[in-house]
């Protein structure tokens, strides 16, 4: 996985099950949840950005993004 991506697992009060948040260079991209089952995992993309000390260009390899999505999904299913 590209080191600029981060996967964080946490409990969000909006969901019954554990969720996973994916960030790129500390800027949140999306959150995945499995409330509808492991065959119906949902992903929510965030349009509001965190205020960081420097601007993050939200441009990265599609293959790297697919890799982090697969890793996050696997972790969410196993949790």
């Amino acid at each position: 996985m590209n080191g600029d991506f981060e996967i964080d697992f946490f409990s969000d009060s909006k969901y019954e099950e554990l969720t996973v948040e994916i960030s790129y260079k500390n800027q949140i991209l999306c959150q995945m949840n499995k409330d509808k089952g492991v065959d119906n995992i949902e992903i929510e993309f965030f349009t509001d950005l965190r205020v960081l000390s420097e601007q993050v260009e939200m441009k990265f390899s599609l293959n790297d993004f697919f890799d982090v999505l697969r890793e996050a999904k696997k972790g969410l299913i196993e949790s």
Side-chain angles (χ1 to χ4, degrees):
M1 181 176 78
N2 179 320
D4 290 329
F5 287 100
E6 284 183 44
I7 298 173
D8 296 305
F9 294 86
F10 63 99
S11 179
D12 186 323
S13 61
K14 294 189 323 186
Y15 301 103
E16 292 178 25
E17 300 282 341
L18 193 66
T19 64
V20 64
E21 181 180 279
I22 299 173
S23 299
Y24 178 72
K25 294 185 178 179
N26 293 321
Q27 189 59 262
I28 187 171
L29 290 174
C30 58
Q31 182 177 6
M32 298 168 70
N33 77 78
K34 62 178 181 178
D35 276 7
K36 295 182 179 177
V38 296
D39 291 327
N40 293 303
I41 290 177
E42 295 179 315
I43 186 167
E44 177 182 5
F45 287 90
F46 295 102
T47 56
D48 54 334
L49 302 176
R50 291 180 178 147
V51 177
L52 301 174
S53 59
E54 56 187 63
Q55 186 174 356
V56 174
E57 181 182 19
M58 300 303 279
K59 184 177 183 179
F60 40 78
S61 160
L62 182 60
N63 286 335
D64 287 347
F65 187 54
F66 284 154
D67 288 345
V68 75
L69 286 174
R70 276 190 288 277
E71 186 175 330
K73 179 181 177 183
K74 180 181 178 198
L76 192 60
I77 289 170
E78 293 174 353
S79 64

